[in-house]
Amino acid sequence: MAFSADELRVLRRALAIALHPMPLSDEDVQDCLRLAGSVDEAVGEAGRLRAFLLADLARYRDALPGSVTGYLELLQDALAAGYDPRPDDLAALRALRGKPLAAALLERCQILAERSVRARLAGRSAALAAPGPRSRLLALPGGRAADREAERPKAPAAPAPGRTPAPKRPVPTPGEVFPPRRRPAPPPQEEERAAG
């Protein structure tokens, strides 16, 4: 990011005021607000440019192998801007490693991807190993407000309009649901058959 001479003057003045607090004139306040607006605009533009670059990189990657030269140039630009290579990029570079530039970029991307994975794993393990009790956040759902909500008695839910509530009926016992089996009558004895 480059600053104009006027913006540098305002920035130098703002830093001096931050180090040695003193009352500000209205003109100084307006200059600081204009500088903050310019910085915000530059940051937004950089974000839009990065999004465009990444979308363009994805288009060129999808059009491989016909777009090899453009893809390799865009990937170099993206890496220079802090892009972490994705698995799709590594796979594309492996397929193109016959070209010297692609082989060099593959080596660089593998190193960057490995660093990125290690950093994420270190961040996760540090978060898991953080000592001390964890307290609930007050501003998010599930905090103290939710505890207070749980303590309040809840009113019964009103039935939907146009529907009558179903009458409450007792829960049937297992004996009512599954009646006992009746034993079949024993077969008639042979003597009774002969007599009959």
Side-chain angles (χ1 to χ4, degrees):
M1 183 181 297
F3 291 103
S4 69
D6 189 43
E7 289 172 334
L8 281 175
R9 181 190 59 77
V10 172
L11 184 60
R12 193 174 291 136
R13 178 88 174 127
L15 290 174
I17 291 169
L19 292 173
H20 305 289
M22 63 176 83
L24 291 173
S25 68
D26 289 342
E27 183 182 335
D28 286 339
V29 170
Q30 292 303 319
D31 287 343
C32 288
L33 290 174
R34 274 193 298 276
L35 178 63
S38 296
V39 169
D40 288 343
E41 185 179 326
V43 168
E45 185 62 30
R48 285 190 292 278
L49 183 62
R50 179 178 171 82
F52 175 77
L53 176 65
L54 295 180
D56 215 17
L57 180 66
R59 278 193 295 277
Y60 273 80
R61 184 177 53 234
D62 292 342
L64 286 173
S67 61
V68 174
T69 307
Y71 172 70
L72 295 177
E73 289 174 7
L74 282 173
L75 184 58
Q76 283 179 315
D77 292 345
L79 292 174
Y83 173 69
D84 279 335
R86 299 196 172 127
D88 293 342
D89 296 311
L90 295 173
L93 288 172
R94 283 187 193 106
L96 300 171
R97 70 177 138 203
K99 298 192 175 285
L101 180 59
L105 278 174
L106 175 61
E107 188 175 319
R108 182 177 172 196
C109 286
Q110 285 174 333
I111 292 169
L112 290 173
E114 186 177 322
R115 282 185 196 159
S116 177
V117 168
R118 284 186 180 171
R120 280 183 285 180
L121 290 176
R124 285 184 188 159
S125 63
L128 292 175
R134 293 185 180 174
S135 61
R136 288 184 164 189
L137 295 174
L138 302 178
L140 297 177
R144 284 193 183 161
D147 290 342
R148 282 189 226 117
E149 216 38 59
E151 292 171 3
R152 289 187 194 154
K154 293 186 179 178
R163 287 189 163 177
T164 58
K168 292 201 172 202
R169 48 181 225 178
V171 177
T173 63
E176 293 171 337
V177 176
F178 305 105
R181 288 188 179 193
R182 305 217 173 151
R183 292 190 177 176
Q189 299 280 341
E190 288 184 28
E191 296 175 0
E192 292 177 8
R193 278 194 219 159

